[in-house]
Amino acid sequence: MNMKMQSVGFKADSKLEAFINQKFMKLEKLESTITGYDIILNVDKSSTKDNKVVEVKIKVPGNELFAKKKSTSFEEAADLVSEALRTQILKYKEVKASK
């Protein structure tokens, strides 16, 4: 499994990286065929407090799952993305099982 994390416009500290790694590694318990993650952390230029953006693309055989969420902290945005991807993984497994 390959996990690439990129922080745009800032340097993510090791604590944040560890939190995000742990959060998305849990998704592998749902689907063992995940081959990689592309994670982008970004600070939106908006004037509101919910300007932390987390984008994640998960590679699975024959498909890519994607979620992007914005919140007041990267940790909260990662939680939201994780839940969105969890739902997508469960749907992916249903479709895969029905084939």
Side-chain angles (χ1 to χ4, degrees):
M1 193 276 309
N2 181 22
M3 185 178 289
K4 292 191 306 186
M5 188 179 318
Q6 179 182 5
S7 51
V8 179
F10 73 102
K11 171 75 172 113
D13 65 3
S14 59
K15 187 176 172 184
L16 176 60
E17 288 179 359
F19 175 84
I20 289 174
N21 280 328
Q22 181 182 23
K23 179 64 66 180
F24 293 108
M25 293 296 270
K26 289 180 182 178
L27 295 177
E28 285 189 50
K29 293 178 183 172
L30 292 173
E31 180 56 53
S32 62
T33 63
I34 294 173
T35 58
Y37 297 86
D38 291 328
I39 302 168
I40 299 174
L41 309 175
N42 196 359
V43 179
D44 196 11
K45 291 185 176 20
S46 70
S47 59
T48 61
K49 288 184 180 182
D50 62 339
N51 64 346
K52 311 299 187 293
V53 181
V54 175
E55 298 178 40
V56 179
K57 186 187 324 179
I58 294 180
K59 296 172 184 132
V60 292
N63 207 346
E64 284 185 347
L65 309 176
F66 178 79
K68 176 180 178 179
K69 298 292 179 183
K70 187 189 295 191
S71 189
T72 56
S73 72
F74 285 114
E75 291 84 359
E76 188 177 339
D79 283 338
L80 295 171
V81 167
S82 176
E83 278 305 307
L85 288 170
R86 184 179 189 284
T87 303
Q88 289 181 41
I89 288 170
L90 293 174
K91 286 181 186 176
Y92 168 77
K93 285 178 72 164
E94 281 180 28
V95 170
K96 189 172 78 169
S98 68
K99 288 184 178 179

